[in-house]
């Protein structure tokens, strides 16, 4: 069959014309893989069209690069196109007066027109508020700044993975479906087959119909931590990066029903200082990598909300993050109670307003360490110097507040047995401390919050391709 | 606080002893980062203990490497340990008679004992059938061959990502939660909050209570393809790699309720030949990468089920995959009907038995191309030479049958309008062909099937850390 196809192509004179031009993506042209005089074919979507002295100047983009690429169509050619259309162009590369490569077009095919009047939501040379763009999820990839955002999300994912691979971590695909609901505190989603007939055919005696598929209530994960701990007791350094879920009725700009978390766990790590070092190094290295690889995309997205130059915005990367005890944080907040709307108390923890105040106070991302055990989870280790506290930390950053939460985990079987919320569903978790127990430590980092902070995007719904939140699950 | 900690360490004589030894992971010792005479500290779990002439020989593993590392404890030292315990050892590296580095132990701490008699499911020097190991999910990371499997899964994930990044693809996190159920054919999971009070407070007039959170029925994704297509119309080359879900009552060894798929989509790709080239290159390059980076882990896992040497098992990598039209495949199957239990017919498609027969017949992974449109999905493009067919392909491989399914997508708005199952929920999908439409092509690859084939593991439940299937969702 391949042979037949080949013969057909050779007999087709139009195809022979085409084959004189080599296809390049715009990124590869601008990365100087090409030189003036090259016969080149580009494909993409039209971002703008200008007519000057009868010549057509077409900006085109194929999603591979932050910058558009310019086509010049001589007025003697009869080609025409318009904003939004998909096109294929053939021509010769020429250095522009500004010494940028542009394509002098020999041939231009419009592949698909874009009839704006029939309901295309984006018009040329107009900018739209994020809420409007978000109402057209399926066409957000036609908006240049959204393409920049999605490329940045991709590069950040890649940088996290690379950092962790270099550090000897093994990526574990922790499950989305879980029968644990210990951390959810009633904020989990329940799952059942949509097919009622199937359920009826599967349900066993004594099991409620809606739990018939798995013989038990089954939830969407709120965290992969406990599963990671199981893997860490044998593989040592492990991480997971994937979707987690919360069923909250929340309209805030830092919450989603489906969001991504980077979680990691290290065995044989038994100090909170070491854990803070790990978090700080990870956040700085990944951010440096983004700044090096994706400066243009970063500038494009940040320019929508701020005039701060990149160097100024990333000054924090060069300085150590302050590390503050929880008690000290409360002391600072109490001393500044008059500047806060919310009232400060040691028992209540630290709310969003107070988090942002502490970040502003320190003029830096800041760790809050050693929290009162009453307001933290059962699996956190009691501090050896002060039994009122646990070895837990939060990392607070500008713009979003809590970015990371982590702790050294309780490794004593007897202590854990006293604190664990259920010994039925979590007997397996106790087993980890019964057979070859080690101290492990780990944390979770909210990926959309990280991007929101770095990109200065005010709503995390705009750094995820398909945001889901209360009353919203389009497509 | 960091300063205080530092002073405390300096005053602690035990700590000063410890600091004379540098911690290494076993992988780093065996990768020759160390030399005889180095004072080294290792941590891990005891895999075996032998006594010879009163000396103790302890094999230890920390999850970083396929090979264990040997500790030698002189009989004059009073240290003891046992299988399964977690330990920390300090000593001096010595080259063994076989010229491998081993640790002559100065000090050995047992961190956590492993009291086998209290219910630890794995005993030393015993091997267990996969079903038994699978019944102890939380302790599978203590089984060496499972650690090899999880490291291989990690390396395969990494190799897929690296291949796609090099090819200019952008990773898109397609959503788990979706209001599309067009591909599910009644095999999807439904989602609702576990908190009934929350649901009642959120539900709007005219919406059934169980759909109150999102105002509509919301499912777990069965495929990210349609979302990828939206992104491809603007970003061109995109992929997604993550969990997908099926609510089937299926006990087969190639099905799971939660499994991973690699899906990709390329704009401006308009021939099935090109798509097959992409699939073939991806599968070969990733497999080559695994063979280069993880030969020891591969050997360990494969040895459980086969004596075939690696080179023989991977001979297929050096030869082109045959490409066969669907009609030809049916002709071959009909000619061999007597060798098959199931009856062959052109309307019924190709079942598992027949898939495996074709692979055996070709002695190679094989593409089946150009399928009858009646048995394929609405979004596949009608073939231009033969309107009875669509431009679709499957890649069949030994052991599991269908590994990949892909197609060129229908890019004509008018044709799609006739074939689409619903114009309500999928109006957005039609929009992609209305505004700047391009031809895209893509495929999905079942990740666990890929691993099952490569690792010669007979049940895909044993290549995923936490398998979920009908009546099974432990932890």
């Amino acid at each position: 069959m391949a042979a037949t196809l080949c013969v057909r192509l050779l007999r087709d004179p139009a195809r022979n014309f085409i084959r004189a031009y080599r296809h390049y993506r715009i990124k590869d042209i601008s990365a100087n893989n090409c030189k003036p005089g090259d016969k080149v074919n580009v494909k993409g979507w039209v971002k703008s069209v200008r007519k000057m002295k009868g010549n057509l100047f077409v900006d085109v983009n194929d999603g591979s690069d932050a910058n558009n690429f310019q086509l010049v169509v001589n007025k003697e050619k009869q080609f025409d196109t318009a904003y939004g259309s998909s096109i294929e162009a053939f021509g010769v590369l020429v250095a522009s007066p500004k010494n940028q490569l542009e394509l002098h077009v020999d041939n231009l095919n419009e592949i698909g027109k874009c009839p704006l009047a029939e309901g295309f939501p984006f018009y040329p040379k107009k900018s739209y508020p994020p809420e409007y763009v978000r109402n057209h999820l399926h066409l957000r990839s036609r908006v240049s700044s959204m393409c920049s955002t999605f490329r940045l999300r991709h590069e950040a994912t890649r940088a996290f993975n690379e950092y962790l691979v270099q550090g000897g971590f093994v990526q574990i695909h922790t499950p989305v479906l879980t029968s644990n609901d210990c951390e959810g505190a009633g904020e989990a989603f329940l799952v059942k087959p949509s097919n009622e007939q199937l359920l009826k055919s599967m349900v066993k005696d004594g099991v409620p119909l809606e739990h018939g598929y798995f013989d038990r209530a089954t939830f969407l994960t709120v965290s992969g931590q406990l599963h990671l701990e199981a893997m860490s007791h044998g593989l040592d350094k492990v991480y997971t990066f994937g979707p987690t879920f919360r069923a909250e009725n929340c309209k805030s700009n830092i919450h989603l029903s489906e969001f991504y978390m980077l979680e990691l766990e290290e065995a044989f790590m038994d100090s909170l200082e070491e854990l803070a070092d790990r978090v700080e190094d990870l956040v700085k290295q990944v951010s440096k990598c983004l700044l090096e690889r994706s400066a243009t995309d970063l500038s494009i997205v940040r320019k929508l909300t701020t005039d701060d130059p990149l160097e100024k915005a990333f000054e924090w990367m060069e300085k150590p993050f302050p590390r503050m005890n929880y008690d000290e944080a409360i002391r600072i907040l109490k001393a500044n109670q008059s500047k806060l709307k919310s009232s400060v108390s040691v028992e209540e923890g630290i709310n969003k307003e107070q988090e942002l105040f502490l970040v502003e106070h320190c003029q830096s991302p800041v760790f809050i360490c050693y929290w009162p055990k009453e307001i933290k989870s059962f699996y956190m280790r009691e501090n050896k110097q002060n039994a009122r506290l646990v070895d837990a930390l939060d990392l607070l950053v500008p713009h979003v507040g809590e970015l990371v939460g982590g702790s050294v985990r309780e490794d004593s079987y007897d202590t854990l047995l006293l604190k664990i919320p259920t010994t039925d569903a979590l007997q397996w978790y106790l087993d980890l401390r019964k057979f070859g127990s080690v101290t492990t430590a780990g944390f979770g980092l909210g990926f959309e919050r990280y991007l929101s902070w770095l990109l200065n995007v005010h709503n995390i719904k705009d750094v995820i391709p398909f945001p889901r939140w209360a009353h919203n699950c389009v497509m």
Side-chain angles (χ1 to χ4, degrees), chain A:
Chain A
M1 200 182 57
T4 331
L5 192 72
C6 213
V7 170
R8 205 167 60 235
L9 287 182
L10 286 171
R11 285 185 191 147
D12 182 343
R15 287 275 173 175
N16 276 337
F17 162 78
I18 286 169
R19 288 201 293 180
Y21 299 82
R22 185 154 170 211
H23 174 62
Y24 283 96
R25 299 187 82 201
I26 289 166
K27 181 179 66 175
D28 298 325
I29 296 174
S30 55
N32 291 323
N33 289 331
C34 302
K35 56 182 194 308
D38 286 354
K39 294 185 99 168
V40 162
N41 155 235
V42 297
K43 302 169 181 184
W45 289 266
V46 174
K47 295 295 173 178
S48 77
V49 179
R50 299 181 311 284
K51 271 193 183 146
M52 269 170 66
K53 300 181 188 169
N55 297 326
L56 216 58
F57 294 83
V58 180
D59 277 346
V60 67
N61 198 299
D62 60 7
S64 68
D65 200 81
N67 297 306
N68 297 331
F69 178 67
Q70 181 163 276
L71 314 178
V72 183
V73 186
N74 190 286
K75 60 184 160 190
E76 286 162 27
K77 305 262 179 188
Q78 299 296 310
F79 306 124
D80 201 7
T81 186
Y83 167 81
S85 297
S86 52
I87 60 164
E88 180 175 37
F90 303 85
V92 179
L93 288 178
V94 173
S96 75
K98 287 179 181 166
N99 207 26
Q100 287 189 315
L101 287 175
E102 57 187 29
L103 193 72
H104 287 207
V105 170
D106 298 325
N107 202 349
L108 187 150
N109 303 329
E110 211 167 40
I111 303 171
K113 289 189 181 296
C114 185
L116 301 188
E118 290 182 30
F120 192 69
F122 309 119
Y123 274 62
K125 293 176 196 161
K126 288 196 86 169
S127 67
Y128 298 90
E131 298 74 19
Y132 177 86
V133 179
R134 208 185 299 143
N135 279 333
H136 305 279
L137 281 190
H138 64 300
L139 295 170
R140 287 208 298 184
S141 63
R142 305 290 289 277
V143 177
S144 299
S145 62
M146 290 309 307
C147 285
S148 289
T149 302
F150 298 141
R151 278 191 300 267
L152 286 163
R153 185 179 169 103
H154 162 74
E155 289 294 346
T157 303
R158 188 182 154 205
F160 275 115
N161 280 315
E162 286 178 353
Y163 175 93
L164 292 164
V165 164
Q166 276 178 18
F169 285 80
V170 174
Q171 184 174 9
I172 296 293
H173 295 124
T174 51
V176 166
L177 299 174
T178 175
S179 46
N180 294 338
D181 179 35
C182 45
E183 275 232 289
E187 292 163 355
F189 286 101
L190 262 175
V191 164
K192 66 167 187 181
S194 63
N195 183 339
E196 284 280 323
Q197 288 307 318
L198 178 74
L199 258 185
K200 283 178 190 158
S201 72
M202 290 180 68
V203 69
K204 294 179 180 168
D205 280 354
V207 175
L209 180 65
E210 70 169 5
H211 301 164
Y213 186 86
F214 286 118
D215 305 341
R216 64 186 82 198
T218 304
F219 307 93
L220 299 185
T221 185
V222 296
S223 159
Q225 179 198 318
L226 304 191
H227 295 90
L228 271 191
E229 286 186 48
M231 285 293 157
S232 183
H233 281 77
L235 282 166
D236 181 359
K237 293 176 194 282
V238 290
Y239 75 104
T240 186
F241 179 71
T244 49
F245 304 84
R246 291 284 191 293
E248 298 166 304
N249 187 10
C250 189
K251 292 182 184 66
S252 104
N253 58 6
I254 53 165
H255 289 87
L256 286 164
S257 303
E258 175 176 353
F259 60 98
Y260 274 65
M261 266 219 283
L262 173 75
E263 297 181 273
L264 72 75
E265 198 73 23
E266 297 194 54
F268 308 105
M269 180 187 267
D270 72 354
S271 95
L272 202 62
E273 293 297 319
E274 269 182 276
L275 185 65
D277 290 346
R278 168 66 75 194
V279 173
E280 185 167 339
D281 192 49
L282 174 80
V283 169
K284 285 180 173 173
Q285 296 306 326
V286 168
S287 304
K288 254 178 211 160
C289 184
L290 264 191
L291 200 55
E292 279 166 20
R293 290 181 179 166
S294 306
T296 312
D297 277 324
L298 260 177
S299 299
I300 287 172
V301 178
R302 290 182 56 92
K303 221 173 268 174
L304 297 174
T305 55
T306 173
D307 291 329
D308 274 2
L310 279 189
E311 314 80 61
K312 182 159 179 294
F314 288 84
E315 271 172 354
W316 57 265
M317 287 203 309
E318 305 306 327
K319 292 176 286 189
F321 296 170
R323 299 179 186 188
M324 188 185 283
N325 285 358
Y326 176 83
D327 290 341
E328 190 183 344
I330 293 293
R331 197 181 48 70
I332 292 170
L333 290 171
K334 282 195 167 160
N336 290 280
Q337 177 67 75
S338 62
K339 297 177 193 157
L340 295 162
K341 288 183 198 154
S342 53
S343 79
V344 181
S345 99
V346 74
E347 296 82 15
E348 293 284 308
I350 300 175
N351 68 19
K352 189 64 47 198
E353 182 199 18
Q354 296 161 4
E355 287 173 356
L356 295 175
F357 181 87
L358 289 168
V359 172
E360 186 64 26
H361 179 85
C362 298
Q363 288 286 302
S364 166
V366 52
F367 284 105
I368 312 296
C369 305
Y370 303 106
W371 290 64
K373 68 177 162 197
E374 288 74 21
I375 57 175
K376 287 289 186 182
S377 300
F378 73 92
Y379 50 71
M380 297 181 174
R381 187 178 70 179
E382 236 175 62
N383 183 265
K384 289 192 174 121
Q385 272 78 48
N386 186 339
R388 188 178 67 79
L389 305 177
V390 285
D391 294 338
L393 60 76
D394 279 8
L395 174 65
L396 313 180
V397 301
H399 196 67
V400 294
E402 184 192 344
L403 175 68
V404 171
S407 68
V408 181
R409 320 304 187 187
E410 184 58 67
D411 59 351
S412 151
Y413 180 87
D414 295 329
T415 311
L416 203 54
L417 191 60
L418 294 173
K419 293 171 75 184
I420 206 160
T422 158
T423 51
D424 273 355
L426 287 178
Q427 184 56 51
W428 69 266
Y429 188 75
L430 283 165
D431 271 3
L432 304 179
R433 277 73 189 182
K434 196 169 182 177
F435 304 113
S437 175
V438 296
T439 313
T440 75
F443 64 84
L445 175 149
F447 185 53
E448 284 78 17
R449 290 186 180 189
Y450 171 74
L451 290 175
S452 172
W453 166 41
L454 244 69
L455 275 53
N456 212 58
V457 168
H458 293 146
N459 195 321
I460 64 171
K461 299 179 185 80
D462 299 319
V463 296
I464 188 169
F466 300 95
R468 276 81 178 85
W469 72 102
H471 302 297
N472 283 277
C473 185
V474 179
M475 296 171 68

